Amino acid sequence: MAGCRGSLCCCCRWCCCCGERETRTPEELTILGETQEEEDEILPRKDYEKGRRYEVVKWMVVFAIGVCTGLVGLFVDFFVRLFTQLKFGVVQTSVEECSQKGCLALSLLELLGFNLTFVFLASLLVLIEPVAAGSGIPEVKCYLNGVKVPGIVRLRTLLCKVLGVLFSVAGGLFVGKEGPMIHSGSVVGAGLPQFQSISLRKIQFNFPYFRSDRDKRDFVSAGAAAGVAAAFGAPIGGTLFSLEEGSSFWNQGLTWKVLFCSMSATFTLNFFRSGIQFGSWGSFQLPGLLNFGEFKCSDSDKKCHLWTAMDLGFFVVMGVIGGLLGATFNCLNKRLAKYRMRNVHPKPKLVRVLESLLVSLVTTVVVFVASMVLGECRQMSSSSQIGNDSFQLQVTEDVNSSIKTFFCPNDTYNDMATLFFNPQESAILQLFHQDGTFSPVTLASFFILYFLLACWTYGVSVPSGLFVPSLLCGAAFGRLVANVLKSYIGLGHIYSGTFALIGAAAFLGGVVRMTISLTVILIESTNEITYGLPIMVTLMVAKWTGDFFNKGIYDIHVGLRGVPLLEWETEVEMDKLRASDIMEPNLTYVYPHTRIQSLVSILRTTVHHAFPVVTENRGNEKEFMKGNQLISNNIKFKKSSILTRAGEQRKRSQSMKSYPSSELRNMCDEHIASEEPAEKEDLLQQMLERRYTPYPNLYPDQSPSEDWTMEERFRPLTFHGLILRSQLVTLLVRGVCYSESQSSASQPRLSYAEMAEDYPRYPDIHDLDLTLLNPRMIVDVTPYMNPSPFTVSPNTHVSQVFNLFRTMGLRHLPVVNAVGEIVGIVTRHNLTSEFLQARLRQHYQTI
């Protein structure tokens, strides 16, 4: 004991305790009720710093996405303005000269020359990358919903989209550039964090961050929101758009990053546009590509109000009419899309170009002839709204300068030409802010022509948006309603600009069926919060009316493509179904230890994205283990992975031996002394024998045979985890395997960085040369599988399955019974509305 005094150590029969040098783990300190010193950190400092660095880099990347999206919008806006001014400048001069000389046919040919050339270039770009056609919003919506559309976020798609929308808008087609901005922002969000592109293979950066689908999806959400923000100057509306129309899974941290990205895009575009157009850098006067200007009654009209409570009744009626018009638009466009799918797309690609040229030809002729024949000469208004700031002055100047006097005497203007021979944004400003009146006949004719041509145009093989055409068409409808109420009913307090705005919201809401995000976008674009209530009421009524007949235009095109898009929730009656009713019981699976020939066969004969890792349940497993090393490895893995209450208690008792308490040690020693190693094997074997009956002697590297009985084909399988196709291909490419004469511990091990090195484009199994691999070699997939994926019970209600699948962003959901056997798997296809309806009908038939 004297030797113990200096070191403060005291030894006894059971243990030895040292007061100074004794160190305990955090778990021991917690059990004993002791506290740890503040300077001792449970989490290593380097891991904490790595997490902080990862978060900082993520914020920097989000900012870069917003800035780049804003610059893309600036590029599109600059060249669209340049080409449009060039075209209309030449045509206007020609029309003014030929009106007196009688050579209007020459003016029409000049206009046709410009439009056909621009549309031809846009169609050629779509031939290079077909995914660039249309607005891209349905594809982005599918991507954020969890469906990968090939080529949707490639650099080549971005280039073709941006350049194509320049030419299609400048070519006079009734399309907008705001919709493609959302797609462009999504491509920027997907590609920029990767610092590599398949189109630029030689440019490679060693950037180890964001090598997962979840990170990429988050950045695409931010890019889509930045596209909306740049298009409309509405960062909050962009964030809500990404939430409402895009992502099926969301979190609080992502909300802040998406809003920050949207703000960055808005102010980047605002900074450069204000500097380029006004010459005052840093003034921030042009927030988006589409600006509605300030809605303000004329100072001379004392009876005028932006809107009153009585006007809400008219707004509701306009919402109903807008919903009906939107449903009609969607129905006609759906029929056209089906016709194109049957008669245009199967033919050579040149036919698509010819269709685009035909649409451009008809549009140009209709615009020219309608302006010449249907247009009325209206007296120019002497008064104009003068705002207090330079932006409102600029809007007023744009409205006044965009008045066209085609085919009319002095001091008059052609109301139809003013709408047709201007960029669509200028025509919208005319309907919102022009003091002069538009003839009801002109507005009705313009609405009908624009409605039909815009419906025909959306879907041709050019990059095209639908927001601005819908706004312009609806604005004409709203201005027509205002004219009727003012002229024929005598309501003098009505402000025509408000009714034009409500008409635009009604028609756009009836077409796209957006509510929350579209309300905020329009409020931010008008910079008038008092319009919140009428816009919201109108959009809700338009959506409810349109939903009574069909879906929104984007959902229709998603359905035509056959994409398994998941809705927000299932119908109430679907709870009559269980997971066992909708799952796929015929599984393609792999074993923990599988031969290379079996893996190659599975990968080349299936297209599944993931495979369950299972072991077979047999009653005579000991004899199997004697006959084959592969069988033995699989059975050993299964036994080692089975969790029992007794086994868990033994493991916890073993861990208690490290504690200094003599009482705990005595309990552990007594418990361990009473155990016999053989008893564990006997208990496990008895449990397996009680639970399962003997099964045929089938090796894991055998393929299913047509001679198998139903019991053999669907024999019980213990579920151990999921492994992805990409992981299996990576293991084969890198030769991760071992021979049957070796232990599985001799198999090479790959790090996470090595497994994700080829992300996001892993090699295709059909393109690999696997001749150097021995087909009899064995691959141990257990270190790379996901051992604890989300699972559901066969008796789980479909609504619970759907909510778990959608909110967690899953692609596969195994169905596991009470004894750990996988009985099926649920994929996105099993949760689509069509599939659930079919299963429900089948359920009713079996009752």
Side-chain angles (χ1 to χ4, degrees), residues 691-846:
R691 187 178 298 170
Y692 310 114
T693 57
Y695 297 102
N697 184 359
L698 299 173
Y699 285 87
D701 52 352
Q702 281 187 329
S703 301
S705 171
E706 295 181 357
D707 298 332
W708 285 3
T709 63
M710 184 65 69
E711 289 74 15
E712 293 171 343
R713 182 177 295 274
F714 292 93
R715 59 192 181 279
L717 301 168
T718 300
F719 179 69
H720 298 287
L722 278 177
I723 189 164
L724 302 179
R725 166 182 287 268
S726 58
Q727 293 174 318
L728 293 177
V729 173
T730 301
L731 295 177
L732 293 176
V733 170
R734 297 182 178 272
V736 178
C737 57
Y738 67 96
S739 64
E740 195 167 359
S741 60
Q742 297 174 326
S743 169
S744 61
S746 63
Q747 176 177 277
R749 291 290 186 265
L750 297 182
S751 65
Y752 175 80
E754 292 174 321
M755 291 292 291
E757 185 176 344
D758 295 325
Y759 179 86
R761 296 176 181 87
Y762 294 97
D764 188 355
I765 187 65
H766 299 282
D767 300 333
L768 299 181
D769 183 13
L770 302 176
T771 55
L772 299 179
L773 292 178
N774 183 355
R776 301 297 297 174
M777 297 286 281
I778 303 172
V779 179
D780 180 10
V781 303
T782 56
Y784 310 100
M785 71 179 183
N786 180 8
S788 55
F790 287 98
T791 60
V792 293
S793 165
N795 296 321
T796 306
H797 288 276
V798 163
S799 60
Q800 295 176 279
V801 176
F802 186 90
N803 292 334
L804 176 64
F805 196 97
R806 195 181 197 280
T807 55
M808 300 309 300
L810 306 180
R811 300 189 68 175
H812 311 87
L813 187 58
V815 182
V816 180
N817 63 15
V819 294
E821 298 172 352
I822 182 170
V823 293
I825 195 166
V826 176
T827 62
R828 177 173 293 268
H829 167 72
N830 304 108
L831 294 174
T832 58
S833 177
E834 295 78 8
F835 185 88
L836 292 178
Q837 290 288 350
R839 290 298 186 188
L840 187 62
R841 290 193 296 268
Q842 186 177 359
H843 174 76
Y844 284 140
Q845 293 175 358
T846 57

Side-chain angles (χ1 to χ4, degrees), residues 14-15 22 24-25 27-29 31-32 645-672:
W14 297 282
C15 62
E22 183 181 17
R24 293 172 177 150
T25 64
E27 292 81 2
E28 293 174 345
L29 293 174
I31 294 293
L32 297 175
R645 294 174 61 199
E648 183 67 14
Q649 182 61 34
R650 290 192 203 99
K651 186 172 66 174
R652 295 184 180 184
S653 299
Q654 290 286 346
S655 64
M656 290 179 184
K657 292 180 64 179
S658 61
Y659 294 117
S661 171
S662 59
E663 201 172 329
L664 289 176
R665 290 192 170 215
N666 289 335
M667 184 181 69
C668 296
D669 292 339
E670 292 174 1
H671 183 75
I672 294 173

Side-chain angles (χ1 to χ4, degrees), residues 378 437-438 440 481-492 494:
R378 314 291 294 184
T437 59
F438 290 90
V481 173
N483 283 8
V484 171
L485 293 177
K486 272 181 136 180
S487 303
Y488 298 97
I489 300 181
L491 299 179
I494 285 178

